[in-house]
Amino acid sequence: EAQVTQNPRYLITVTGKKLTVTCSQNMNHEYMSWYRQDPGLGLRQIYYSMNVEVTDKGDVPEGYKVSRKEKRNFPLILESPSPNQTSLYFCASSSDQTVGTEAFFGQGTRLTVV
Amino acid sequence: GDSVTQMEGPVTLSEEAFLTINCTYTATGYPSLFWYVQYPGEGLQLLLKATKADDKGSNKGFEATYRKETTSFHLEKGSVQVSDSAVYFCALSDVDSNYQLIWGAGTKLIIKP
């Protein structure tokens, strides 16, 4: 089954404790991205990757890191989480970035930083 | 820059009512337009899309027509069901945004039996 898998689904952590949210896709997609979803703000892109070893900042990259060492995996790293990073996070992938391309989303990771 | 504006929610309807969720956009180019749906506890999934003016996207009884003259892509369904309760997102992508998806804020739809 074609899917994007995120882990964990839920995470509660303390301020400053490094964490990683994993994302893996089995569709051989070149393009992957991370979003955060906050009430009233829709989805905001954090980082994206056009291919292996190619990453770039989205609209809200501060406080986050990513890496793309393999095509299927695109982990999101919070080196020193803060309460304002409490949010719902989604990983997405698509075959490319052209007109009309569908994005496939993971089920989301709800992160709470206390 | 490009932007998408959706009607604020929540929208509350009774089962079998007619649904319209308004979406308008601003773009300098010729964007593709999308509706994504997020069911409770799940990720987003594509509901329908249109890639050029006057195209109509449709799926699961939902429809939306790409209206370039009014820069709109309103979502409609003739008879909603309780199972349609979800958050609906309008989005666009075009060459000017490097094909990144630009999202509306989302509209929560609640259908009461």
Side-chain angles (χ1 to χ4, degrees):
Chain A
E1 180 189 355
Q3 59 185 4
V4 178
T5 304
Q6 290 178 232
N7 280 297
R9 292 288 309 276
Y10 302 92
L11 180 59
I12 301 174
T13 191
V14 296
T15 299
K17 185 176 181 182
K18 180 179 179 180
L19 66 91
T20 299
V21 183
T22 63
C23 173
S24 181
Q25 51 92 5
N26 63 0
M27 295 168 279
N28 201 37
H29 284 169
E30 291 192 349
Y31 185 90
M32 297 185 74
S33 59
W34 276 102
Y35 294 91
R36 60 178 288 172
Q37 181 183 9
D38 301 290
L41 297 177
L43 277 78
R44 294 181 291 168
Q45 192 178 54
I46 302 170
Y47 269 94
Y48 64 94
S49 169
M50 303 285 278
N51 213 327
V52 175
E53 302 293 1
V54 180
T55 64
D56 210 345
K57 297 177 181 178
D59 298 319
V60 287
E62 294 78 20
Y64 304 94
K65 285 176 56 177
V66 293
S67 68
R68 188 92 181 272
K69 293 184 170 59
E70 307 164 281
K71 199 171 189 178
R72 64 184 293 125
N73 296 324
F74 191 46
L76 179 70
I77 303 155
L78 285 72
E79 295 269 3
S80 182
S82 61
N84 65 10
Q85 292 178 298
T86 293
S87 187
L88 179 59
Y89 292 86
F90 288 100
C91 180
S93 73
S94 56
S95 55
D96 51 40
Q97 278 298 93
T98 57
V99 173
T101 301
E102 176 182 358
F104 293 82
F105 284 80
Q107 289 193 293
T109 296
R110 186 166 292 281
L111 173 65
T112 302
V113 183
V114 298
Chain B
D2 294 353
S3 66
V4 175
T5 302
Q6 290 181 236
M7 62 189 293
E8 287 191 29
V11 173
T12 303
L13 296 171
S14 297
E15 208 165 19
E16 299 183 4
F18 184 87
L19 168 71
T20 300
I21 300 178
N22 290 335
C23 172
T24 57
Y25 68 88
T26 302
T28 53
Y30 297 90
S32 293
L33 301 173
F34 306 83
W35 278 101
Y36 280 80
V37 58
Q38 182 183 26
Y39 297 106
E42 297 184 13
L44 285 76
Q45 56 186 274
L46 180 66
L47 180 59
L48 53 85
K49 69 179 183 183
T51 58
K52 60 183 189 295
D54 300 325
D55 269 2
K56 178 185 283 187
S58 61
N59 187 23
K60 299 182 180 181
F62 290 89
E63 293 182 339
T65 301
Y66 187 160
R67 302 281 189 206
K68 190 162 178 62
E69 64 275 15
T70 54
T71 61
S72 64
F73 192 55
H74 304 321
L75 183 68
E76 298 182 334
K77 186 175 185 182
S79 177
V80 293
Q81 306 299 314
V82 171
S83 57
D84 293 326
S85 299
V87 181
Y88 293 81
F89 290 91
C90 186
L92 70 80
S93 73
D94 75 0
V95 63
D96 290 342
S97 65
N98 200 26
Y99 300 111
Q100 307 293 341
L101 283 165
I102 308 297
W103 297 90
T107 302
K108 185 172 184 177
L109 175 65
I110 300 169
I111 307 300
K112 297 190 171 180

